[in-house]
């Protein structure tokens, strides 16, 4: 779920079977909500890893924790960008032509 493609996002949003903007926006919000636990968890682990890194012994766990949490947060941010870009492209496409 962290590596979303524009094709997946467009397919997920259009799976609603309607061109109603309210329904399409709710499908977009559903995708965004699926990413929220990973986003919040990565931020929490970034904070915890930063606190652990203050001590030398804690740095043994803190540095890898920072690296993994940073990677997850980066993937979630990129997925959110893909969702927004795909939704904008879908919303700006003419109604009679598929995106």
């Amino acid at each position: 779920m962290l590596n979303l493609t524009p094709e997946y996002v467009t397919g997920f949003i259009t799976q609603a079977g309607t061109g109603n903007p309210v329904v399409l926006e709710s499908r977009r919000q559903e995708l965004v909500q699926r990413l929220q636990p990973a986003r919040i968890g990565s931020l929490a682990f970034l904070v915890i890893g930063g606190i652990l890194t203050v001590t030398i012994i804690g740095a043994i766990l803190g540095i890898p924790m920072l690296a993994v949490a940073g990677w997850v947060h980066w993937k979630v941010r990129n997925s959110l960008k893909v969702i927004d870009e795909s939704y904008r492209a879908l919303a700006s496409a003419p109604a009679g032509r598929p995106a």
Side-chain angles (χ1 to χ4, degrees):
M1 187 67 188
L2 292 178
N3 197 13
L4 296 178
T5 63
E7 294 82 20
Y8 174 81
V9 173
T10 303
F12 184 84
I13 292 174
T14 57
Q15 192 176 16
T18 182
N20 186 348
V22 175
V23 174
L24 297 178
E25 173 63 23
S26 70
R27 294 290 285 179
R28 185 189 77 81
Q29 284 296 325
E30 187 178 334
L31 272 177
V32 170
Q33 288 300 319
R34 288 183 182 186
L35 291 172
Q36 287 303 317
R39 183 174 181 230
I40 292 169
S42 67
L43 289 174
F45 279 109
L46 281 170
V47 170
I48 293 169
I51 291 170
L52 283 174
T53 307
V54 172
T55 65
I56 293 174
I57 296 173
I60 295 170
L61 292 175
I63 292 173
M65 188 180 293
L66 283 172
V68 171
W71 178 78
V72 169
H73 191 70
W74 176 72
K75 294 295 274 185
V76 168
R77 274 196 346 227
N78 286 341
S79 293
L80 290 172
K81 286 179 188 175
V82 167
I83 291 170
D84 287 339
E85 290 169 1
S86 298
Y87 177 73
R88 272 191 248 119
L90 186 63
S92 66
R97 182 176 58 116

